[in-house]
Amino acid sequence: MTSERPDKRPDVHADTRASDAERERVAERLREAVAEGRLDMAEFDERLGAAYKARTHGELVPLVRDLPAPGTTADLTPMDGAAVPGPRGGDGVWADRIGRERATSKGAFAFWSGFSRKGRWTVGRTFTAGVFQAGGEIDLREARFEERDVVIRCFTVMGGIGIVVPPGMDVEVRGFGFMGGFGEEGDVDVPVAPGSPRVVVTGFALMGGVGVHRKERKAEKRRLKEERKLRKLEETRDPEARERKELG
């Protein structure tokens, strides 16, 4: 007696007609992939064109089959387990970055030198940083968090600490500066993203400074840049779209 392997079963969803929303979800995943460096522009352009021309699920699925699935799920899920990602939003952006790993760093100190915590690292529930005639960098844009509530304590003497956070992160600054500064810069009116960790920055700056700066993630900057390139390319291909944009 033989049985058919699960990965060889026919995909009953393959011939189902794809909707505009499903095509757009695949396009968004492709944009993320090129921003992350997973696809080059030639592959991106080819797959994006195929996505917008696709008529069925079976034509959409191969376009993202070799890309990692994001934290959220989508309606378009074929029998072989490949998933077409859904749009960003909700807790999906933060779900895989909070409470899944132990802290890789709980503090840093620099004396006549400097320290840096950036890239993918896991912030402890309490992180304490100190500098004396030195500088420090704490970048939370790609960081993971041991818990949702985090306290970052900064103490500077004739030195400075810069904390970089993405727009939409829930940050509260409570520190105090004497003959120096302790505050937040950038667009502080951006709404808090759902599911964001809650970060409290506290401490003391003497003849130095502690500054919180809001900046987009590098991958997001690349994605936005590629989107601008794509819009220009689409306008070049469609003169009427360019004319509508110029007319407002």
Side-chain angles (χ1 to χ4, degrees), residues 31 41 44 220-235 245:
R31 294 187 187 104
M41 283 304 298
F44 170 68
E220 183 67 11
K221 286 183 178 179
R222 290 195 299 268
R223 187 182 73 84
L224 294 174
K225 182 178 180 180
E226 297 303 336
E227 281 189 354
R228 288 194 293 269
K229 287 183 179 179
L230 179 61
R231 284 196 295 269
K232 290 182 180 180
L233 181 62
E234 291 174 344
E235 290 171 5
K245 180 179 179 181

Side-chain angles (χ1 to χ4, degrees), residues 68 72 106 120 170-171 176 202 214 218 234 240 242:
T72 56
K106 296 184 178 182
R120 178 168 178 171
D170 188 356
V171 179
F176 174 72
T202 185
R214 293 185 180 271
K218 292 180 180 180
E234 291 174 344
E240 292 183 0
R242 184 174 65 252

Side-chain angles (χ1 to χ4, degrees), residues 40-106:
D40 59 33
M41 283 304 298
E43 292 175 303
F44 170 68
D45 192 44
E46 180 181 355
R47 294 194 191 194
L48 186 67
Y52 283 124
K53 292 178 182 178
R55 295 185 177 183
T56 66
H57 287 191
E59 294 173 275
L60 284 177
V61 169
L63 301 177
V64 293
R65 192 190 303 275
D66 59 347
L67 300 177
T72 56
T73 58
D75 294 334
L76 181 56
T77 306
M79 292 292 290
D80 61 6
V84 176
R88 294 182 176 187
D91 290 351
V93 175
W94 295 104
D96 293 334
R97 296 174 60 182
I98 299 175
R100 293 178 178 268
E101 302 174 12
R102 291 186 177 181
T104 58
S105 183
K106 296 184 178 182

Side-chain angles (χ1 to χ4, degrees), residues 9 55 89 118 178 188 207 215:
R9 289 182 299 175
R55 295 185 177 183
K118 61 182 180 180
F178 180 72
V188 298
M207 292 188 292
K215 296 181 181 179

Side-chain angles (χ1 to χ4, degrees), residues 152-226:
I152 297 179
R153 303 187 298 175
C154 298
F155 302 95
T156 72
V157 178
M158 293 184 288
I161 296 177
I163 302 173
V164 184
V165 303
M169 179 176 281
D170 188 356
V171 179
E172 181 181 354
V173 180
R174 299 178 182 172
F176 174 72
F178 180 72
M179 298 177 66
F182 205 119
E184 184 174 5
E185 299 178 6
D187 191 353
V188 298
D189 295 326
V190 175
V192 173
S196 165
R198 293 179 287 271
V199 180
V200 175
V201 180
T202 185
F204 178 73
L206 173 63
M207 292 188 292
V210 174
V212 178
H213 311 273
R214 293 185 180 271
K215 296 181 181 179
E216 291 284 0
R217 297 169 58 196
K218 292 180 180 180
E220 183 67 11
K221 286 183 178 179
R222 290 195 299 268
R223 187 182 73 84
L224 294 174
K225 182 178 180 180
E226 297 303 336

